Amino acid sequence: MSHSDSDSVNEGTCLMDTLVNEASYSRRTDYTGNAQEQRDKRRPERPGEDGDTSRSSRRREPNPRSQEPDEEEELKYGAAHVIKLFVPVSLCLLVVVSTMNTVEFYKKKDLYLVYTPFHENSHDPGVKIWNALANAAILMGVIVLMTVILILLYKYRFYKTIHGWLILSSLILLSIFSYIYLLEVLRAYNIPFDYITLGIVMWNFGTMGLIVIHWKGPLHLQQAYLIFIAALMALIFIKYLPEWTTWVVLGVISIWDTFAVLTPKGPLRILVETAQERNEQIFPALIYSSTVIYSLMATPTAGEEDRGDNQGTVEPASPGTQAGFTSEWSEGIDSRVESRRRMIQAHSENRSAPSVSTEPPHVRIEDDEERGVKLGLGDFIFYSVLVGKASSYGDWNTTIACFVAILIGLSLTLLLLAIFKKALPALPISITFGLIFYFCTREIVQPFSDMLNTSQIFI
Amino acid sequence: MDLSKVKNNEKLELCSWYFRAGFFGLPIVWFVNAVWFFNEAFRKPVYEEQRAIKRYVIFSGIGALIWSIVIGTWVYIFQSYRVAFGEFGDSISFVIPTGVP
């Protein structure tokens, strides 16, 4: 148990992929370039250097013109994505918050993870802080270690090992933890249940989940399973992490996320870049994809084969289909972003395993997975941990403040994504906002409104 | 994954795979199969593999329906007569409801 828990801790999230624009430009320039070349061929005069220079100058020209509308479109397109992500994130938070408020089990502190040996039993804040910091450091160490292992495995192409790992962890979540969840929910509602039905339900639920997550299945069902898995993992963290440690871990993990995604040598970044080089998506199961656009429909067959062959040129395959952004955007950005996120998450978490599975990843990935903004499951988990933890104190003001903070952070991140066009960590902004909102509401707003209430002042 | 991007023969393969998987006591797989391929089977313009897909979809749907009736009946029996079962009822109970204190 504890293993899977720690593993799943990873967070990385890269919202988008960059290069979309660049890709589109390069394509366009290619077209213009080709035309130029043909013209050059027709004209016998100075085919050599001059032709080249004129070509390159032409290439540059179209870009500035097309750039502005492109950016606008991307922003618009991004807005749709924001909304597409709001729904799953809210659903995940809803599952966690409602469970926290109905099932006592997840509020009770009895057992703790192996990774958090200090249980904060003392009443002295100094000792508690020290315990929390030490726990968080240990937990982060585990996460970093797992991330590095994952990257190494990925880098040296131990795909089977990674898939085995991911399948195993999702299996554990879908079996043991789902079993515990079901048991506790039934207990909370005092509903009698028999072993026969239990067996059938668990077998069906678990198997369906594995098929859908790691192999092929309807997208919505896959998304539902991913959301459930993320919620379950968040509940586990809330239950098995000591009080103060949870808050420290949230802070530390968002810093780690920033570091891992943005620094040149950051593990997640390496992962994403490797995936891009190989033209693969990273373990789809670890990432939630909002798949808004299906630009590739037109070229199903041809596209497949091509992609397999030309690695590195994935984008060109689909570019013609739509005016430019959609396909490029979605494909390039999403896949890259996803891959980054996935990688990140994949390292630490073990949630869901991947569609990549044994087969050559390119083919599958490119056509099967749809393009859209991808958010790492780790992000879902830590968002839910924050809101779930806030709601565990039974204060709805705080819960709603945190919920709003998370969504604001998410939309800011998506905005930045549209501006920077590169994979971004999704945790830092949201979690920072969440923490600020939480402590402000809890320490200032709540006492204030209580005060107003008791003295019957209405503002 | 998105079915509209899948080739027809792969759709058929997938559909029949789901159908066969359902025999391992997995009514939910049948149910998903029936729902997922419903449009393919009944609402798409005719194509070669469609008849086979239609058959799989219908049989998956029937299988899922039978399963749900069986499970529904059993759950009904269990919930209504659990106490009447006496000790046997308790021994097959996963969660036994507690009284309100």
Side-chain angles (χ1 to χ4, degrees):
Chain A
M1 298 205 14
S2 49
H3 258 295
S4 62
D5 297 347
S6 64
D7 293 344
S8 53
V9 180
N10 263 2
E11 68 310 356
T13 331
C14 317
L15 282 188
M16 291 182 60
D17 231 25
T18 32
L19 307 192
V20 174
N21 268 350
E22 291 159 33
S24 57
Y25 290 167
S26 65
R27 285 177 200 171
R28 260 169 232 155
T29 53
D30 283 344
Y31 292 128
T32 56
N34 288 342
Q36 178 65 25
E37 267 180 77
Q38 287 170 354
R39 265 174 245 154
D40 286 346
K41 278 176 201 160
R42 275 177 225 144
R43 290 184 235 153
E45 17 158 336
R46 31 171 180 155
E49 304 168 359
D50 282 15
D52 285 347
T53 52
S54 63
R55 222 180 291 153
S56 56
S57 65
R58 289 210 180 180
R59 286 189 188 179
R60 267 170 232 145
E61 280 168 24
N63 295 346
R65 273 177 231 148
S66 54
Q67 197 157 353
E68 284 190 13
D70 258 4
E71 281 185 1
E72 259 179 43
E73 288 274 342
E74 281 174 13
L75 279 174
K76 265 189 208 162
Y77 185 66
H81 279 224
V82 176
I83 292 161
K84 290 273 173 189
L85 278 182
F86 270 21
V87 176
V89 169
S90 311
L91 277 177
C92 189
L93 298 179
L94 188 72
V95 172
V96 173
V97 170
S98 54
T99 310
M100 286 303 296
N101 284 291
T102 48
V103 183
E104 271 306 299
F105 174 76
Y106 288 101
K107 279 188 198 171
K108 243 185 327 186
K109 295 278 175 200
D110 38 17
L111 281 173
Y112 293 110
L113 294 180
V114 198
Y115 309 105
T116 55
F118 307 104
H119 294 168
E120 300 177 6
N121 295 325
S122 149
H123 291 289
D124 176 16
V127 178
K128 275 191 169 184
I129 290 173
W130 169 83
N131 279 350
L133 287 176
N135 283 336
I138 295 171
L139 202 57
M140 283 312 298
V142 175
I143 290 173
V144 173
L145 183 72
M146 291 297 181
T147 315
V148 171
I149 292 175
L150 189 76
I151 291 176
L152 288 180
L153 286 177
Y154 189 72
K155 195 140 194 168
Y156 296 103
R157 295 173 185 271
F158 290 101
Y159 289 117
K160 293 204 173 156
T161 318
I162 299 179
H163 283 132
W165 178 7
L166 291 176
I167 289 175
L168 188 69
S169 26
S170 54
L171 179 68
I172 292 172
L173 276 166
L174 286 173
S175 55
I176 300 173
F177 287 105
S178 304
Y179 170 85
I180 295 174
Y181 183 78
L182 181 65
L183 174 66
E184 293 305 330
V185 169
L186 289 171
R187 273 198 191 144
Y189 288 100
N190 217 5
I191 299 170
F193 209 72
D194 62 300
Y195 279 110
I196 301 166
T197 324
L198 174 79
I200 297 171
V201 168
M202 290 304 300
W203 164 243
N204 276 274
F205 178 78
T207 320
M208 194 68 230
L210 286 181
I211 293 173
V212 160
I213 295 171
H214 299 278
W215 196 59
K216 299 173 176 177
L219 179 72
H220 287 297
L221 192 61
Q222 188 189 30
Q223 290 172 336
Y225 266 104
L226 291 179
I227 291 174
F228 177 75
I229 280 182
L232 207 54
M233 201 64 217
L235 287 171
I236 292 165
F237 278 128
I238 295 174
K239 172 154 173 74
Y240 295 108
L241 287 182
E243 193 86 23
W244 292 30
T245 305
T246 316
W247 296 108
V248 178
V249 163
L250 281 174
V252 177
I253 205 123
S254 58
I255 297 170
W256 161 249
D257 194 23
T258 322
F259 165 78
V261 177
L262 296 180
T263 7
K265 289 284 168 196
L268 295 185
R269 180 152 177 173
I270 293 178
L271 194 59
V272 176
E273 278 165 4
T274 321
Q276 284 175 3
E277 267 169 32
R278 296 182 192 170
N279 205 1
E280 301 170 356
Q281 284 188 335
I282 308 170
F283 317 108
L286 293 183
I287 299 201
Y288 178 94
S289 57
S290 67
T291 320
V292 191
I293 299 179
Y294 310 89
S295 45
L296 279 195
M297 291 184 188
T299 58
T301 5
E304 269 184 24
E305 264 96 37
D306 287 352
R307 275 166 213 159
D309 298 344
N310 354 319
Q311 316 195 345
T313 51
V314 179
E315 281 148 21
S318 59
T321 43
Q322 305 234 356
F325 332 100
T326 34
S327 52
E328 299 166 5
W329 224 75
S330 44
E331 274 197 14
I333 294 179
D334 296 339
S335 61
R336 288 171 193 180
V337 173
E338 287 180 7
S339 56
R340 290 181 190 178
R341 294 179 185 175
R342 288 177 189 176
M343 293 180 171
I344 296 171
Q345 295 176 341
H347 298 287
S348 41
E349 308 167 351
N350 316 324
R351 286 292 132 76
S352 15
S355 53
V356 180
S357 53
T358 25
E359 282 116 88
H362 330 269
V363 183
R364 229 342 109 67
I365 293 169
E366 277 305 321
D367 334 69
D368 285 7
E369 285 319 298
E370 0 282 20
R371 343 26 304 245
V373 173
K374 326 263 175 164
L375 187 63
L377 276 197
D379 302 321
F380 276 90
I381 294 169
F382 286 101
Y383 292 165
S384 312
V385 168
L386 184 103
V387 178
K389 191 75 194 166
S391 79
S392 72
Y393 303 110
D395 179 1
W396 285 101
N397 282 348
T398 334
T399 311
I400 289 165
C402 287
F403 173 69
V404 173
I406 296 278
L407 292 188
I408 293 174
L410 186 61
S411 27
L412 275 182
T413 313
L414 289 166
L415 187 67
L416 290 181
L417 197 55
I419 295 170
F420 290 113
K421 306 203 168 78
K422 71 192 259 203
L424 293 175
L427 284 180
I429 302 181
S430 286
I431 296 292
T432 315
F433 272 31
L435 291 177
I436 294 173
F437 272 52
Y438 171 75
F439 287 106
C440 283
T441 319
R442 185 143 187 238
E443 304 302 332
I444 301 172
V445 177
Q446 188 63 32
F448 178 62
S449 60
D450 282 351
M451 181 72 129
L452 290 182
N453 236 344
T454 46
S455 32
Q456 292 289 297
I457 299 171
F458 301 98
I459 24 176
Chain B
M1 65 186 293
D2 179 17
L3 277 184
S4 54
K5 277 183 272 175
V6 179
K7 280 179 283 181
N8 286 340
N9 58 338
E10 283 173 12
K11 278 181 206 161
L12 177 59
E13 231 169 72
L14 199 58
C15 189
S16 78
W17 190 91
Y18 264 72
F19 179 68
R20 280 180 276 125
F23 284 105
F24 294 89
L26 292 168
I28 198 161
V29 172
W30 275 341
F31 175 73
V32 169
N33 196 19
V35 173
W36 195 22
F37 282 96
F38 185 82
N39 277 340
E40 289 297 326
F42 296 104
R43 294 198 191 156
K44 287 277 163 72
V46 181
Y47 54 88
E48 203 186 323
E49 291 88 353
Q50 202 181 30
R51 283 191 61 192
I53 291 184
K54 203 181 274 182
R55 238 188 19 240
Y56 286 129
V57 167
I58 292 173
F59 284 119
S60 299
I62 293 173
L65 193 69
I66 293 173
W67 264 97
S68 56
I69 292 172
V70 170
I71 295 174
T73 319
W74 163 247
V75 169
Y76 176 75
I77 293 172
F78 178 78
Q79 299 287 347
S80 339
Y81 300 103
R82 185 180 56 84
V83 181
F85 288 165
E87 205 170 305
F88 171 70
D90 279 357
S91 67
I92 60 167
S93 287
F94 166 56
V95 174
I96 301 174
T98 53
V100 181

